[in-house]
Amino acid sequence: MADHNVTNHIEDRSKEEGSSAINGSAGEMIQYQTNGNLSATGRSQPDSSQSAADSSEQLPPEIARITMGYLPLSDLITRLVQETFNGITEVVNEMSEMQMPQSNGSVPVNPSQASVQKKARLLDFAQDRRAKFIKILVLSQWSRRAESIGRVIDMKAWLDAQTRQYDGACTWIGELRRIIALERMPNPDLKTALEALSMGKVGGLPDLGYLPPKQVPPQRFLKMLRSINTQLTIRLRLHEPIPQRLKNYSVSNGRVTFRVPNEFEVDLSIADENPSSQLYFIDFRFLFAPTPAGIPQGPLRDDLAARVNALLSHAGLKGCYEFLHNFVMSHKLNIFRRQAYRMSQASWSEHLKVEALHRSLIIQYWITRPGAKSWIELGIRRRNAKRSSWLHDEEDEPHIGIRWFCTGKEVADVPLIIDLGNLSVEAILKQIISAHTNAILKEIRTKLREGQLYSQRTLRLRHTRSTMEPAAISLSVQLTKSQSCSIIQEPVSGRMVLLPPSSLCSRAERELNSLISPERTAATCIANLRSATCCEEVERTLRCYGWTVANSLRPNQDKMRHHFGRETLRASFFRKKTWDAQWLFAFTASLAGDSWWIVELDNGSSRVDQTAAPGPSIRAAFKVLSHANPVALRELSYPELSQIEVTAAGMISQHTDSRQLARQKIPHRLVKTGSTRPSSPFPALCIRLPNAHVQTAVKTQESAKVPRYSQVVLLSFIGTDESDSYANHLVTAQSNCSTLRSRSLDSMDEDSVAFHPSSGAFAFRLRTAVGTSAIPGLLGCLAKIQRLIVYISVVQASKIHKFSLRHVEFTYATEPHDLRAKVTFIGEGPPRISFENGNPHLRIQNQLAVLLQESGGLKHVILLLAVTLPLMRALAAMETVLGDDNVEILSRSVEWYEIRLPKQLGRFGLRLRKRRQEFMWFVEEARLPDGKKIDSRVHEGFRSMMNEKGEGWSGMSPGIVASLSGVEGLLKKMEEVFQDLQAREPAPTELEDSKVQKRKRDEDADKIVVLD
């Protein structure tokens, strides 16, 4: 547009100059001023301001100033100065680091070499800086003319823009002319049309004198075709070199048809009998789908015929084949590209990326999966001896090849079936995805088979393969006996899918789809799924049998593998109500196999890491010795679970007992013994017990001399109770007591303890909670047995009726009838002695019980029973004869008694004393409380007895002395005296009776009785 305005402006000025020259008679001359204004001489001038305004409107626009990309010279100088300063600093540092050569004291060293190096380094830097500052000087001198040079640059840029606009205008005009020529309709020739329509001919048209062709008869035409066929056959067999791929041809209808399978058919013919003349193109057809059979008439066919004829003229059949072969391959790649784009926009949308580069096609699949990318390349490639090829051709020629890059790495030697006769990029992509899916699932199966469960075919793995349909590929993994899952991979998106769906499968599926390299790490995810499924089944089963899942114990993976093994993937913990809270039952699952464990929790006192999170932690874990099949192959039944529970309880009991024995420093070891039950898989604990560890309840001088059981004791676990799951233990030992060997088993009324009379062996059963040590109970029972042995040894002279760990019943006297005593042991408390009703010793039963706990023990008690028996019989007879209202007998101790006569106000003391190395009973009068006096008649009666002497007794001052056997006669004499006083005493009046009763109540308040 600027050129157009300038041209108009110049033309206008030329016209004005011409008109001025024409009007030369007026003597006027027009001058062109430097400011662009016109001035007239010889005539009056118009107004100057108006002419200036008209001139400014006619001028072209200002030329644009170019300022983009300009930098101030000051910035360049500042940058150079800063760079020079940094450089000189580095040079100085380098020079300071250069070491001067040192002298060894005898040979002088010339320092000139190091000095020369420093000077050379400094001069090089100075020379380089000098060259750059010279450039800056040149630039600064040139910048003084920067304004003029800037205008030149602006003018140059404006001229180049004008040139481009001119060239563009010319191009546009030529294109417009070409388009208009095609759209132009010629003017109608009405005269010629009228003549042709009316006369049937046009006289004005020239006649070129062409002769019409003669019609060829069919016989001659057929003869000509046969002749051409013969010539073609001779030429192809004798003269024409035919490429290997064109060996398949046929001659008919005057043409030769070359057929290349899955590519094309081309028809050629000859125009001359000369064998050296060229062949000519007749027709072309495609031999693959999807494409039309032939090329329709049009520019494409004409151009193809021209190119083929040109190649046939100078390159022959070889050039023709190479051209058509490349043409077909390019057309196939275009078909592949259209199919790939159609797939990326339809069913494979957002999961396929297609990119066309020259004569190759890149298709990236599974673009939404994490990790390295995978793609295929379709293109034309030539066979290379060093590389494998997808297509095995006989000749070294270009062909359509495929390269597969799986996760960024090229995969070679993968057999693919490419149907070049029926082109389908989806089929090729499905084969690639099938190979990729097969490789992933095969790697998962291989890694799963590294585990013992799958390597030994305990659990099944089944890989369903397919080379054409990726949706049919799956990996069936048996998780447990009742559950399996199938792993499939969606062909379009590449996502892993686990069937049947469940909560555990959903979590595992999310984990699988987040893996960067599933072929390497997916097996671990499937192993975790298998372990979680197995633990879930076990938890569901154990809940039905009364176990409680201990969800509070959640060890991390490192601690779990430390306690249960490196291959452990998951663990479930269970608690039994009857078990000790410190012990748990655990189930672990891994590819190496499933196991049952007993777990001991840390109570916190022995925890090493005090900074750890609060909550239970594992102290130790022990594998349950079970011969059952793996859990994966069966459903847990109640008998089988009971057997595992019994085994676990036995291991816990044995471990707890061993720890308790070690804590008490008691020697012990595990032994195989035939005394344990055959069904029990546990050895017995052989315990060697020193005497100090058994605390007997009988502390007498003779107890240490009494033979006891042997020091070796066997402790065996014999099972649990089905009702409450308490642990049962069997303790066996050998007794050296001859008394037990001589006793019959019929006298043993204890169910939990059994004695063998001939061998002296005994056994008893202990019942403890699982997790509680049986050692305290064992020591307690042994102490009871030792106590029983001691007691039996003490009373062996007597007739023993029954004995057990709870009591011993024996006869200590036979006159006037059998008198029995029963010593009872109540738990950990002191022993008690008891008598039957009518036994005279009931009077001093409490006192004897106290003496039973003292150092003398049962031996002392039996001695006292013999000593006090005559006295007890006499006192019982006195109460029977005199009556309870007339006599009262108080037992202050075993050796001190008091006889009271409430009606006669008399009291007598009866004590056991030692006189002349012999025990004797001493009877004397006792004082009454509150200064009361004894009845004179009673006093006189006792005084008369003191002057007498009887069998085994005799009177003496101030009382009466009787032997142990004579005390019975003494009391018989006193009974007669008291009976005589009652006979002579008158019947009391009511007033006297009331006084007697009141006195009796007062005296009862003064009674002192020693009771236990």
Side-chain angles (χ1 to χ4, degrees):
M1 294 300 293
D3 293 341
H4 181 68
N5 294 334
V6 172
T7 304
N8 294 337
H9 184 65
I10 294 174
E11 290 177 354
D12 293 341
R13 289 175 180 263
S14 299
K15 291 179 181 179
E16 292 180 358
E17 292 176 358
S19 62
S20 300
I22 293 173
N23 299 327
S25 60
E28 300 177 352
M29 186 179 63
I30 300 177
Q31 299 178 353
Y32 184 68
Q33 304 296 330
T34 59
N35 58 0
N37 296 329
L38 294 177
S39 61
T41 58
R43 62 172 53 183
S44 61
Q45 296 291 333
D47 185 56
S48 61
S49 60
Q50 183 176 1
S51 62
D54 295 339
S55 299
S56 62
E57 292 179 357
Q58 295 177 0
L59 289 176
E62 283 286 337
I63 296 176
R65 297 296 304 274
I66 298 176
T67 59
M68 184 181 299
Y70 285 5
L71 295 175
L73 183 62
S74 60
D75 293 348
L76 182 60
I77 296 174
T78 302
R79 180 66 180 272
L80 182 61
V81 171
Q82 182 66 34
E83 184 179 354
T84 303
F85 176 77
N86 295 337
I88 193 64
T89 303
E90 294 179 359
V91 170
V92 171
N93 293 333
E94 291 179 3
M95 293 173 63
S96 63
E97 293 177 356
M98 293 182 181
Q99 299 295 332
M100 296 292 293
Q102 301 294 330
S103 174
N104 57 6
S106 60
V107 180
V109 178
N110 185 10
S112 60
Q113 184 177 0
S115 179
V116 168
Q117 291 179 358
K118 291 183 179 181
K119 292 177 181 179
R121 179 71 180 88
L122 184 60
L123 288 176
D124 291 341
F125 175 76
Q127 185 69 20
D128 180 67
R129 294 293 99 184
R130 178 177 178 275
K132 291 187 178 181
F133 274 101
I134 289 175
K135 294 179 182 179
I136 291 296
L137 177 62
V138 174
L139 289 176
S140 63
Q141 294 177 354
W142 178 83
S143 64
R144 295 186 179 95
R145 295 178 294 174
E147 185 69 23
S148 301
I149 294 176
R151 291 179 181 178
V152 173
I153 292 174
D154 297 340
M155 181 62 69
K156 176 66 170 58
W158 181 80
L159 289 176
D160 291 342
Q162 296 300 316
T163 302
R164 287 194 298 272
Q165 292 181 5
Y166 176 77
D167 293 341
C170 294
T171 302
W172 178 77
I173 291 173
E175 185 68 18
L176 180 62
R177 179 179 179 182
R178 186 182 67 82
I179 295 173
I180 291 176
L182 296 176
E183 300 296 333
R184 181 178 180 181
M185 182 180 293
N187 295 327
D189 188 0
L190 298 178
K191 181 178 179 181
T192 304
L194 181 60
E195 183 179 358
L197 292 174
S198 59
M199 302 296 295
K201 61 180 181 179
V202 179
L205 293 178
D207 187 6
L208 300 179
Y210 289 154
L211 298 175
K214 296 181 180 179
Q215 293 185 356
V216 180
Q219 294 80 6
R220 185 179 178 184
F221 186 78
L222 181 59
K223 184 178 180 180
M224 292 174 59
L225 290 178
R226 290 176 178 174
S227 176
I228 295 173
N229 291 340
T230 303
Q231 294 294 331
L232 283 173
T233 303
I234 295 173
R235 180 172 177 174
L236 292 175
R237 291 184 178 274
L238 299 178
H239 304 286
E240 192 72 30
I242 303 175
Q244 183 67 28
R245 295 299 299 273
L246 295 181
K247 292 292 185 179
N248 184 12
Y249 66 89
S250 60
V251 178
S252 63
N253 299 326
R255 65 182 68 183
V256 55
T257 302
F258 294 97
R259 180 183 180 87
V260 180
N262 296 328
E263 290 193 16
F264 62 88
E265 278 184 351
V266 60
D267 296 340
L268 304 178
S269 187
I270 58 175
D272 194 350
E273 295 182 357
N274 188 2
S276 61
S277 62
Q278 76 168 67
L279 297 172
Y280 289 94
F281 175 83
I282 302 298
D283 197 3
F284 179 84
R285 294 174 297 278
F286 292 111
L287 296 181
F288 57 89
T291 186
I295 301 177
Q297 296 292 337
L300 177 60
R301 183 181 179 87
D302 297 340
D303 185 66
L304 178 64
R307 287 176 177 268
V308 172
N309 289 328
L311 288 171
L312 287 173
S313 64
H314 63 81
L317 289 177
K318 183 177 181 181
C320 174
Y321 167 73
E322 291 178 354
F323 170 74
L324 293 178
H325 179 61
N326 281 281
F327 172 72
V328 170
M329 288 192 299
S330 299
H331 186 49
K332 287 183 177 180
L333 290 176
N334 288 331
I335 294 174
F336 282 141
R337 183 172 60 252
R338 287 196 301 270
Q339 291 179 350
Y341 278 119
R342 193 178 302 115
M343 289 172 58
S344 65
Q345 296 172 0
S347 59
W348 296 67
S349 176
E350 299 180 359
H351 300 288
L352 208 64
K353 183 178 180 180
V354 181
E355 184 177 359
L357 297 175
H358 303 293
R359 296 179 71 186
S360 63
L361 178 66
I362 299 176
I363 304 175
Q364 180 184 340
Y365 59 94
W366 296 351
I367 61 176
T368 57
R369 280 196 59 86
K373 304 303 180 183
S374 301
W375 69 90
I376 60 173
E377 292 183 4
L378 283 151
I380 298 175
R381 59 188 301 183
R382 185 178 294 274
R383 179 183 297 277
N384 192 332
K386 296 182 180 180
R387 301 179 62 183
S388 59
S389 177
W390 299 99
L391 297 177
H392 301 281
D393 299 331
E394 297 179 358
E395 297 181 358
D396 186 10
E397 61 182 13
H399 59 274
I400 294 180
I402 300 178
R403 299 174 66 192
W404 176 28
F405 291 85
C406 179
T407 61
K409 298 180 180 179
E410 184 176 2
V411 181
D413 299 331
V414 177
L416 296 178
I417 302 176
I418 303 177
D419 188 1
L420 295 178
N422 186 12
L423 303 181
S424 174
V425 73
E426 184 175 5
I428 297 174
L429 191 59
K430 282 186 176 181
Q431 290 188 64
I432 294 294
I433 293 177
S434 297
H436 196 169
T437 304
N438 281 324
I440 293 175
L441 297 184
K442 180 181 178 181
E443 188 66 23
I444 294 175
R445 186 191 63 176
T446 302
K447 291 186 176 296
L448 287 177
R449 285 197 182 276
E450 295 177 359
Q452 186 176 359
L453 288 178
Y454 294 103
S455 62
Q456 297 181 354
R457 302 298 193 272
T458 304
L459 296 176
R460 296 189 304 274
L461 289 174
R462 185 177 61 190
H463 184 191
T464 303
R465 297 177 178 85
S466 176
T467 58
M468 303 299 294
E469 186 55 49
I473 302 173
S474 65
L475 177 62
S476 179
V477 181
Q478 184 182 9
L479 305 177
T480 61
K481 179 181 179 181
S482 59
Q483 295 192 40
S484 300
C485 76
S486 297
I487 308 172
I488 62 175
Q489 195 165 20
E490 293 182 356
V492 177
S493 64
R495 287 180 54 85
M496 293 281 189
V497 180
L498 297 179
L499 298 176
S502 64
S503 58
L504 293 177
C505 289
S506 298
R507 287 198 297 268
E509 186 176 318
R510 288 194 299 270
E511 185 178 352
L512 281 174
N513 291 318
S514 63
L515 297 176
I516 296 178
S517 181
E519 63 274 6
R520 297 179 181 177
T521 55
T524 304
C525 181
I526 301 302
N528 290 329
L529 172 62
R530 187 260 158 196
S531 301
T533 304
C534 193
C535 288
E536 186 181 60
E537 281 192 357
V538 172
E539 289 178 4
R540 184 168 56 249
T541 304
L542 264 66
R543 280 195 183 99
C544 297
Y545 293 145
W547 291 80
T548 304
V549 180
N551 294 321
S552 59
L553 181 60
R554 294 181 179 179
N556 55 31
Q557 194 69 17
D558 294 336
K559 291 185 178 180
M560 188 167 60
R561 291 182 177 178
H562 171 71
H563 292 289
F564 302 114
R566 296 177 56 186
E567 297 180 350
T568 302
L569 299 176
R570 194 178 181 90
S572 297
F573 302 93
F574 307 93
R575 192 184 301 276
K576 193 78 170 180
K577 293 181 180 179
T578 56
W579 284 19
D580 187 87
Q582 195 175 356
W583 290 92
L584 297 178
F585 193 43
F587 172 79
T588 59
S590 66
L591 291 183
D594 305 330
S595 303
W596 297 98
W597 299 75
I598 54 174
V599 177
E600 184 181 10
L601 299 181
D602 193 351
N603 54 11
S605 60
S606 60
R607 185 180 299 176
V608 177
D609 188 7
Q610 298 295 338
T611 61
S617 60
I618 299 176
R619 180 181 181 182
F622 307 95
K623 193 172 184 178
V624 177
L625 302 176
S626 177
H627 301 288
N629 294 328
V631 178
L633 291 183
R634 69 193 188 283
E635 295 180 0
L636 284 175
S637 60
Y638 182 76
E640 183 179 0
L641 184 61
S642 299
Q643 179 185 357
I644 299 175
E645 179 184 348
V646 169
T647 305
M651 292 180 62
I652 294 174
S653 300
Q654 193 173 83
H655 180 77
T656 307
D657 294 339
S658 299
R659 181 179 296 176
Q660 183 68 23
L661 291 172
R663 188 181 295 115
Q664 296 184 6
K665 299 181 180 179
I666 300 177
H668 63 280
R669 61 189 178 90
L670 295 176
V671 295
K672 293 286 185 179
T673 176
S675 61
T676 57
R677 296 196 313 175
S679 60
S680 177
F682 303 102
L685 272 174
C686 182
I687 306 171
R688 183 174 295 276
L689 290 174
N691 295 333
H693 287 87
V694 180
Q695 302 293 333
T696 59
V698 183
K699 301 178 180 179
T700 63
Q701 296 181 357
E702 289 77 7
S703 62
K705 302 178 182 179
V706 174
R708 50 165 288 181
Y709 51 85
S710 62
Q711 292 183 349
V712 178
V713 178
L714 294 180
L715 176 62
S716 306
F717 175 79
I718 59 175
T720 58
D721 289 340
E722 295 183 359
S723 58
D724 52 11
S725 299
Y726 269 65
N728 293 322
H729 305 268
L730 179 65
V731 181
T732 57
Q734 185 75 24
S735 174
N736 299 325
C737 181
S738 60
T739 305
L740 288 178
R741 295 183 179 182
S742 62
R743 297 295 175 181
S744 174
L745 291 176
D746 297 337
S747 61
M748 184 68 186
D749 63 349
E750 179 70 31
D751 295 336
S752 60
V753 181
F755 285 91
H756 195 276
S758 60
S759 63
F762 64 92
F764 59 89
R765 184 178 60 184
L766 293 177
R767 186 172 177 271
T768 61
V770 177
T772 303
S773 176
I775 301 303
L778 180 144
L779 297 178
C781 288
L782 291 178
K784 292 179 182 179
I785 294 175
Q786 177 66 12
R787 179 178 58 188
L788 177 63
I789 295 174
V790 171
Y791 275 58
I792 292 177
S793 300
V794 172
V795 300
Q796 60 182 349
S798 303
K799 181 181 180 181
I800 301 176
H801 295 277
K802 294 180 180 181
F803 67 92
S804 69
L805 296 181
R806 292 190 294 270
H807 66 272
V808 176
E809 187 176 352
F810 59 93
T811 301
Y812 62 90
T814 58
E815 292 181 1
H817 54 81
D818 290 346
L819 298 179
R820 296 184 180 182
K822 184 178 182 180
V823 180
T824 306
F825 316 113
I826 305 174
E828 300 297 334
R832 296 293 183 91
I833 189 169
S834 60
F835 303 94
E836 298 176 348
N837 292 331
N839 193 308
H841 279 96
L842 279 174
R843 188 183 308 277
I844 59 173
Q845 177 176 325
N846 295 333
Q847 288 84 351
L848 291 176
V850 174
L851 294 175
L852 191 62
Q853 303 173 23
E854 296 180 357
S855 60
L858 182 60
K859 188 173 183 180
H860 187 203
V861 171
I862 292 177
L863 178 61
L864 289 175
L865 288 175
V867 170
T868 59
L869 180 57
L871 176 63
M872 295 298 107
R873 287 200 301 260
L875 292 177
M878 182 181 292
E879 286 181 339
T880 303
V881 173
L882 297 180
D884 295 337
D885 296 336
N886 297 323
V887 65
E888 295 178 357
I889 301 174
L890 298 180
S891 302
R892 294 187 180 272
S893 69
V894 179
E895 303 171 355
W896 182 15
Y897 303 90
E898 189 174 293
I899 302 174
R900 294 181 181 182
L901 301 175
K903 293 182 179 181
Q904 288 81 13
L905 294 178
R907 287 188 179 184
F908 301 94
L910 184 61
R911 294 194 179 191
L912 182 66
R913 294 180 179 178
K914 194 172 184 180
R915 182 172 179 268
R916 297 177 182 177
Q917 302 301 323
E918 184 179 357
F919 286 100
M920 302 187 72
W921 291 103
F922 181 73
V923 183
E924 62 181 353
E925 287 183 329
R927 295 180 182 181
L928 297 176
D930 299 333
K932 296 179 181 180
K933 295 182 179 181
I934 301 176
D935 192 348
S936 59
R937 292 175 301 172
V938 176
H939 178 68
E940 292 297 332
F942 184 73
R943 295 286 293 179
S944 64
M945 289 181 63
M946 291 173 59
N947 297 326
E948 297 180 6
K949 184 178 182 181
E951 184 179 357
W953 62 275
S954 63
M956 59 180 295
S957 180
I960 304 173
V961 177
S963 63
L964 296 180
S965 58
V967 69
E968 191 172 0
L970 174 61
L971 293 182
K972 183 66 175 176
K973 181 62 177 178
M974 291 178 66
E975 176 188 331
E976 294 175 357
V977 172
F978 296 154
Q979 191 175 9
D980 184 57
L981 290 176
Q982 291 179 2
R984 290 183 297 173
E985 184 178 358
T989 62
E990 294 182 2
L991 179 60
E992 292 176 352
D993 192 13
S994 63
K995 290 181 179 180
V996 172
Q997 292 181 359
K998 180 179 180 182
R999 185 170 64 251
K1000 184 178 180 181
R1001 288 194 299 270
D1002 294 339
E1003 292 177 355
D1004 290 340
D1006 298 334
K1007 293 179 181 179
I1008 300 175
V1009 181
V1010 180
L1011 300 176
D1012 183 12

